[in-house]
Amino acid sequence: SYVLTQPPSVSVAPGKTARITCGGDIIGSKSVHWYQQKPGQAPVLVMYNDRDRPSGIPERFSGSNSGNTATLTISRVEAGDEADYYCQVWDGHSDHVFGTGTKVTVL
Amino acid sequence: QVQLVQSGAEVKKPGSSVKVSCKASGGSFSSYTIIWVRQAPGQGLEWMGRIIPIVGLTNYAQKFQGRVTFTADISTITAYMELSSLRSEDTAVYYCARGLGDPNRFDPWGQGTLVTVSS
């Protein structure tokens, strides 16, 4: 089965840039979606098809995908960005797969 | 703006079944997909499968094959997830979400339903 690997945690100071990676075999050939989940809340879509932002998501959020790594970048990080982030792909056969999740901590 | 509203928390005995509902407000099912995802305490997201309500087509993750059933009632714009033969490891928050695009992205999500399996 297809596996997506994320770093367990990323720490970043306010105003700086956070980069959250999602590793998978030739993930660059797939469309990657990203979700933000705050404690006690349902996930929220923050990026789709590698680099498209849903309505209402700040321009500070951007995405890229190439080779074996997809990346969600959060620029000018704010306290409100502190959350768990998950990547997600369709494995090309029958299943959707989520990454292992990354906890972003704002210092 | 479609919103998904799920049924309330459940406490179940091992070996029993649970049925969680997911009602769409602000729209119809139209031709989109409803997916189900669960999240065990302190763990990540796990895809369970999907249903296309308008045609009743279902796909289940292999892990849940034979134990989960997705259904939908078009007239009430409500989807259902039934999980049987419950065990303690099924204790989790169960989410429904709308699948959009190809390949599906999931937006919006229901608020989640906590299912606790305990003797």
Side-chain angles (χ1 to χ4, degrees), chain A residues 1 22 26 38 47 51 59 74 77 86 96:
Chain A
S1 62
C22 175
I26 320 177
K38 296 183 178 180
M47 194 68 57
R51 60 183 65 247
E59 291 183 10
I74 311 173
V77 165
Y86 295 91
H96 288 274

Side-chain angles (χ1 to χ4, degrees), chain A residues 4-22:
Chain A
L4 295 174
T5 302
Q6 300 180 234
S9 63
V10 168
S11 296
V12 58
K16 299 299 186 183
T17 298
R19 293 180 179 83
I20 306 159
T21 58
C22 175

Side-chain angles (χ1 to χ4, degrees), chain A residues 4-55:
Chain A
L4 295 174
T5 302
Q6 300 180 234
S9 63
V10 168
S11 296
V12 58
K16 299 299 186 183
T17 298
R19 293 180 179 83
I20 306 159
T21 58
C22 175
D25 187 39
I26 320 177
I27 194 173
S29 66
K30 302 181 183 299
S31 290
V32 181
H33 313 311
W34 291 90
Y35 303 88
Q36 176 194 69
Q37 185 180 34
K38 296 183 178 180
Q41 298 184 20
V44 172
L45 180 71
V46 294
M47 194 68 57
Y48 66 97
N49 293 346
D50 299 339
R51 60 183 65 247
D52 292 330
R53 274 179 294 104
S55 169

Side-chain angles (χ1 to χ4, degrees), chain B residues 29 34 51-54 56 70-80:
Chain B
F29 278 144
I34 293 290
I51 181 169
I52 303 176
I54 202 156
F70 301 147
T71 56
D73 184 334
I74 301 296
S75 64
T76 60
I77 326 175
T78 304
Y80 300 91

Side-chain angles (χ1 to χ4, degrees), chain B residues 16-112:
Chain B
S16 67
S17 298
V18 67
K19 192 169 186 176
V20 177
S21 68
C22 170
K23 183 173 176 60
S25 63
S28 68
F29 278 144
S30 184
S31 61
Y32 57 71
T33 299
I34 293 290
I35 65 97
W36 291 90
V37 169
R38 78 176 186 180
Q39 185 172 37
Q43 302 300 308
L45 303 172
E46 182 175 31
W47 185 73
M48 299 180 69
R50 62 178 177 180
I51 181 169
I52 303 176
I54 202 156
V55 293
L57 180 66
T58 56
N59 293 101
Y60 301 117
Q62 189 169 6
K63 175 176 180 176
F64 299 100
Q65 289 267 7
R67 212 161 62 92
V68 71
T69 304
F70 301 147
T71 56
D73 184 334
I74 301 296
S75 64
T76 60
I77 326 175
T78 304
Y80 300 91
M81 184 283 298
E82 184 168 21
L83 186 63
S84 61
S85 302
L86 290 170
R87 37 212 188 225
S88 59
E89 309 90 88
D90 294 317
T91 294
V93 176
Y94 290 77
Y95 293 102
C96 64
R98 181 179 63 172
L100 287 174
D102 183 16
N104 272 180
R105 59 192 183 269
F106 308 141
D107 181 49
W109 294 59
Q111 83 277 20

